[in-house]
Amino acid sequence: MIPIPRTIKYESDLDHAFREKIMATQGCENIWSCIQCGLCSAACPISIYMDYTPRKIIAMTREGFREEVLSSRTLWLCASCYACEAYCPQNVNITEIMYALKRHAIEEKKYPRNFPIPELAKSFFTYVKAHGRNAEFWVVFRVWRKVALLRLVKMFPLGWRLLIRRRLPLRRERIRHTRQLKTILSNLNGEV
Amino acid sequence: MASKNGDIPRIGVYVCHCGTNIGGQVNVPEVVAFARTLPNVVVAREYKYMCSDPGQMLIKEDIQKLNINRVVVASCSPHLHEHTFRKATLEGGRNPFLFHMANIREHVSWVTQDPEKATEKAKAIVEAAVYRIQFHEPLESKHVPVHPDVLIVGGGIAGITAALTLADAGKTVYLIERESSIGGHMAKFDKTFPTLDCASCILTPKMTTVKDHPNIHLMTYAEVLEVDGYVGNFRVKVKKKPRYVIEDRCIGCYVCIEHCVYKTPKHPSEFDEGIGLRKPIYIPFPQAVPLVAVIDPETCIEFKSGRCPKKCQKACREIVGRDAIDFTQKEEILEIQVGAVIIATGFQIFDPSRIPEYGYGRYPNVYTSLEVERLVNASGPTGGAIVLRDGRKPQSVAIIHCVGSRDRNYNPWCSRVCCMYSLKLAHLVRERTGAEVYNCYIDMRTPGKGYEEFYEKLLHEGVHFIRGKVAEVTDWTINPEEAGKLVIRVEDSLIGVVRRIPVDMVILSVGLEPRSDAEELRRLFHISCSAEGWFLERHPKLAPVSTYTDGVYIAGACQGPKDIPDAVAQAGAAAGEVLSLVDRGVIELEPNIAVIDARRCSGCHVCIALCPFSAIAFHAEENVARINEALCKGCGVCVGACPSRAISQQLFKDEQILAEIEGLLMVD
Ligand SMILES: Cc1cc2nc3c(=O)[nH]c(=O)nc-3n(C[C@H](O)[C@H](O)[C@H](O)COP(=O)(O)OP(=O)(O)OC[C@H]3O[C@@H](n4cnc5c(N)ncnc54)[C@H](O)[C@@H]3O)c2cc1C
Ligand code: SF4
Ligand code: SF4
Ligand code: SF4
Ligand code: SF4
Ligand code: SF4
């Protein structure tokens, strides 16, 4: 028999300290003001692909649905376009809250696995940190190798056509003083 | 220490616990023990509730048995109980102004955390009162007569109701309405929620009664210019705008309108919210009161070029035989005297073109709710048919709630009536067109008798209720189903998905906001506005129709968004307050007025220009300024300004204030 998972939430499933943590981030203080009108979701150009609409993310954050929020794809789909914030009748800084949540998702390693966008972010960052420049082919290659090998095979004909038209350079460019870049970046992350 | 008027002060001090309001924070017995040590204090007592009957008895008994001649009560704010204790002092046999109140609740227990510090502060305030009261003198309150006539500004349902109530009680009422007809917003509706009774069937009889009532002087097309005076005695200047039709002669026969050189109406009708058209000479709606034509000089050819054959005038003269049209009419200024004023100027709707996402003014089939009220009205421009601008019947209609309301970018408040009128319009649209109706709301607010039942009824009628605030209305379509339609984008938040819904017609349920000229009116009548611009009531619960200006009352939607039942209830309440004032016939004035010592006044005129209530006049024979006791509000401006120190203010004399300060500083 296939077990049917329970959907009811007990208070012990929730993390009520979570909202305080998010609210402690500058710009995220007014999460309380949300009246759940859904205007953000309707204004958002990406919400049609999100697993939880921006309004739901706000509600779930407030009520301590930490696991669900941090592993949501919504955080990674958000295009930071600020449409939601511009229209919100309560002036909730939704985009800032999305950023704060994304940071928590990275710190707690809760982001959705096998989902290309966090991988893309990671791959881009690692590559640029090492070389000082982006190389589309290698960044994309790494993402798909990680999340969907099969997709990579399917994408071969497209890649080939781009390659022979010299639209997808394989050459890895790098800047001269990569060591200095690394120092700058680790300073930014407070890792000195 | 003997007081100024010779007697030896014998002071009684009474410290109130106010339940735990004061007693919970301040050590009352300690304050009482301290009070006993103060000069001239004969007795000091504590009591749980000084304002209760036994509390007041303490004062009366001590006056009689211990021959107390000064009373200090340390309790709450004078706003609440100064009157109570002055009365107790009087009933005990002393002049009521030999009493002083020390506020140790609002000023101490409610605002001080530390009980020890609270007790110290309470002692200081009691000591200040004890020092001050030594200098109190017996004073007499002044009584002035109240003029029995009443002014009502605004002839909407609130103004009409108040006018009829007062006129039926035999009072003479002046009803001033800015538009050419009374009726206000209600006159524009076809049906009213929640009972769906016909608006004009219930309003028109009231309007005609106003017109015919012997006690009501109706002035339409008129505005208040100036207000002078004070409670019981206001002098008001009213401007009557020219309508170019003599009211007493016009019989409202429409003949002039038929004969106007414009064969068909060309100008947007204000009353029809621009949905219908009118001619330069018009009657705004068939039930208008007074039923008198008006000429709009902005669109009338005679006023623009002076070369119109004036067929209207000829028709009125020759066909009707009334000769009512007078192109030379001038504005008139009238002066009236009244004892009380009711302001009932209502609201204006939010202008939705401020929200570009909703496309009002850009897409012809986006309407305001008020425009749709005119569409559904049997005497409106379409005779009650709900049709699009091109005459088609809509097959699907979206009603967007909270337009301009509950939104910090526009108006943060809930407009209270729009959920209900949106339900009403949903019902009417379904009834008359059979269209699919989508009500997009944030929260459904239907608190009121029979209101939730009305919502329930709509649920049964098959209206789609989508919980979500619409983000945009667009004509950008993405599939054949949407072609030629307007598309709304909204999160169906109960389901958690975003939806696109193609519709033929969009109705914007615009909110209510204060009239744009509310600020000017506020200044004219010296009343206050809330931060949002609604007229401010004296107390939100206990004095909802009074203002901080005595004799000026407010009723209806000018005080805040409200529906007809609430507007009518307020109008009744305001009429009741006016009756209580006017029928009393006299008012007692607080004797805290300023007096000029003629021997000291040098006749310099400084005070005269400064008095905000124009209470000071110059008497040339004696070369001194003198204050009109009835006009002085005791603001104290002149007192501080007089270079000869000739002016003092009763209850706030220099020696009283200095003694108070000294007392405050005695406690270390
Ligand atoms: C679209 C819509 C539908 C509604 N439907 C309903 C309904 O079905 N049922 C219901 O109970 N309520 C309904 N309401 C609410 C209703 O309109 C108000 O409750 C009611 O009109 C309030 O009456 P009032 O007299 O206070 O104000 P108003 O109706 O605004 O009347 C004020 C009057 O004062 C006049 N005035 C303004 N300023 C001045 C001035 N300076 N000098 C002289 N005169 C002045 C105005 O010309 C006007 O005649 C609806 C509101 C809207 C917007
Ligand atoms: S638009 Fe603002 S108030 Fe509305 S649901 Fe989104 S965050 Fe909450
Ligand atoms: S900022 Fe993110 S959540 Fe907000 S509207 Fe843009 S994509 Fe959507
Ligand atoms: S024709 Fe004369 S009486 Fe008739 S409506 Fe016109 S102005 Fe009035
Ligand atoms: S009454 Fe309803 S539609 Fe009007 S502002 Fe309040 S919630 Fe919105
Ligand atoms: S106290 Fe104020 S109101 Fe009275 S006369 Fe002086 S300035 Fe005028």
Side-chain angles (χ1 to χ4, degrees), chain A residues 36-37 41-42 44 53 89, chain B residues 408-409 467 469 489 491 493:
Chain A
Q36 286 292 301
C37 70
S41 314
C44 173
T53 57
Chain B
R408 292 188 193 175
N409 303 310
R467 193 200 167 281
K469 187 168 163 92
R489 203 181 142 110
E491 179 183 17
S493 67

Side-chain angles (χ1 to χ4, degrees), chain A residues 56-91:
Chain A
K56 272 194 173 175
I57 291 287
I58 301 288
M60 290 161 77
T61 305
R62 251 178 5 186
E63 285 309 311
F65 287 65
R66 186 166 131 261
E67 296 299 316
E68 289 83 349
V69 169
L70 293 185
S71 53
S72 159
R73 292 181 187 180
T74 298
L75 315 184
W76 298 96
L77 284 171
C78 169
S80 314
C81 71
Y82 284 86
C84 50
E85 265 196 56
Y87 293 132
C88 171
Q90 291 293 92
N91 302 149

Side-chain angles (χ1 to χ4, degrees), chain A residues 30 33 35-48 51 53-56 85-91, chain B residues 357-358 405-409 412 441-443 467-472 489-499:
Chain A
N30 52 4
S33 311
I35 55 169
Q36 286 292 301
C37 70
L39 184 58
C40 47
S41 314
C44 173
I46 317 287
S47 61
I48 48 176
D51 47 358
T53 57
R55 173 193 58 83
K56 272 194 173 175
E85 265 196 56
Y87 293 132
C88 171
Q90 291 293 92
N91 302 149
Chain B
E357 305 88 86
Y358 288 164
S405 309
R406 304 186 65 196
D407 190 329
R408 292 188 193 175
N409 303 310
Y441 66 99
I442 306 179
D443 296 295
R467 193 200 167 281
K469 187 168 163 92
V470 171
E472 66 168 342
R489 203 181 142 110
V490 60
E491 179 183 17
D492 192 330
S493 67
L494 296 176
I495 297 167
V497 296
V498 177
R499 291 173 65 176

Side-chain angles (χ1 to χ4, degrees), chain A residues 48-190:
Chain A
I48 48 176
Y49 299 113
M50 290 172 171
D51 47 358
Y52 300 116
T53 57
R55 173 193 58 83
K56 272 194 173 175
I57 291 287
I58 301 288
M60 290 161 77
T61 305
R62 251 178 5 186
E63 285 309 311
F65 287 65
R66 186 166 131 261
E67 296 299 316
E68 289 83 349
V69 169
L70 293 185
S71 53
S72 159
R73 292 181 187 180
T74 298
L75 315 184
W76 298 96
L77 284 171
C78 169
S80 314
C81 71
Y82 284 86
C84 50
E85 265 196 56
Y87 293 132
C88 171
Q90 291 293 92
N91 302 149
V92 175
N93 302 113
I94 305 143
T95 318
E96 272 74 17
I97 293 168
M98 290 285 181
Y99 274 122
L101 292 169
K102 210 187 305 193
R103 258 194 316 274
H104 276 271
I106 296 171
E107 277 163 21
E108 301 186 23
K109 298 206 170 16
K110 283 281 158 53
Y111 51 83
R113 300 300 134 136
N114 298 331
F115 190 52
I117 302 170
E119 281 309 330
L120 179 68
K122 204 158 139 194
S123 160
F124 176 86
F125 182 74
T126 329
Y127 199 89
V128 173
K129 194 173 170 187
H131 301 90
R133 272 203 207 289
N134 181 16
E136 280 157 29
F137 176 82
W138 295 107
V139 168
V140 172
F141 181 77
R142 259 178 85 137
V143 173
W144 291 112
R145 195 190 56 192
K146 204 110 175 237
V147 299
L149 250 176
L150 202 68
R151 272 298 284 278
L152 201 57
V153 179
K154 277 195 191 152
M155 276 160 68
F156 181 76
L158 174 69
W160 180 249
R161 284 204 303 276
L162 284 170
L163 214 74
I164 56 173
R165 282 181 179 75
R166 299 217 222 142
R167 286 288 173 268
L168 197 64
L170 291 181
R171 208 158 60 88
R172 296 165 188 247
E173 285 184 35
R174 57 161 62 232
I175 57 166
R176 250 181 285 157
H177 302 289
T178 44
R179 267 251 304 285
Q180 286 177 11
L181 178 73
K182 265 182 211 152
T183 321
I184 293 172
L185 287 173
S186 15
N187 268 332
L188 275 181
N189 284 337

Side-chain angles (χ1 to χ4, degrees), chain B residues 594 607 610-613 615-616 627 631-639 649:
Chain B
C607 54
L610 287 174
C611 175
F613 302 97
I616 314 179
I627 293 171
L631 292 181
C632 172
K633 291 270 178 197
C635 72
V637 165
C638 57
V639 181
Q649 190 184 347

Side-chain angles (χ1 to χ4, degrees), chain B residues 56-221:
Chain B
Q56 294 181 51
M57 270 317 280
L58 292 177
I59 299 175
K60 293 180 207 169
E61 277 173 16
D62 285 349
I63 292 175
Q64 275 148 19
K65 296 203 180 116
L66 301 174
N67 201 22
I68 295 301
N69 59 16
R70 298 282 192 285
V71 176
V72 169
V73 176
S75 58
C76 52
S77 157
H79 268 303
L80 273 157
H81 280 308
E82 187 173 59
H83 183 74
T84 314
F85 298 124
R86 274 186 184 165
K87 200 164 133 267
T89 309
L90 179 69
E91 283 167 5
R94 297 286 172 201
N95 182 286
F97 299 95
L98 294 174
F99 157 80
H100 189 68
M101 197 149 181
N103 184 351
I104 59 167
R105 193 177 77 175
E106 283 81 348
H107 289 178
V108 181
S109 63
W110 279 359
V111 292
T112 317
Q113 293 273 321
D114 179 348
E116 228 165 86
K117 285 189 180 150
T119 306
E120 285 311 299
K121 189 172 172 190
K123 283 186 196 166
I125 288 177
V126 168
E127 184 158 21
V130 167
Y131 274 54
R132 169 193 236 275
I133 194 103
Q134 332 243 1
F135 294 96
H136 274 218
E137 306 153 332
L139 296 172
E140 289 307 321
S141 298
K142 294 281 172 254
H143 292 86
V144 290
V146 175
H147 196 290
D149 296 354
V150 185
L151 167 71
I152 298 179
V153 189
I157 184 59
I160 291 174
T161 306
L164 289 175
T165 310
L166 288 165
D168 284 346
K171 303 298 165 213
T172 299
V173 176
Y174 296 91
L175 178 59
I176 313 278
E177 165 59 51
R178 177 159 58 191
E179 303 298 331
S180 62
S181 168
I182 53 171
H185 283 95
M186 188 176 170
K188 302 192 178 196
F189 311 153
D190 188 51
K191 296 276 176 353
T192 51
F193 64 72
T195 41
L196 290 176
D197 37 8
C198 151
S200 58
C201 309
I202 55 178
L203 181 62
T204 315
K206 283 189 179 283
M207 287 165 61
T208 45
T209 314
V210 164
K211 172 87 187 124
D212 299 335
H213 207 296
N215 292 341
I216 299 180
H217 298 277
L218 175 60
M219 295 186 219
T220 53
Y221 230 40

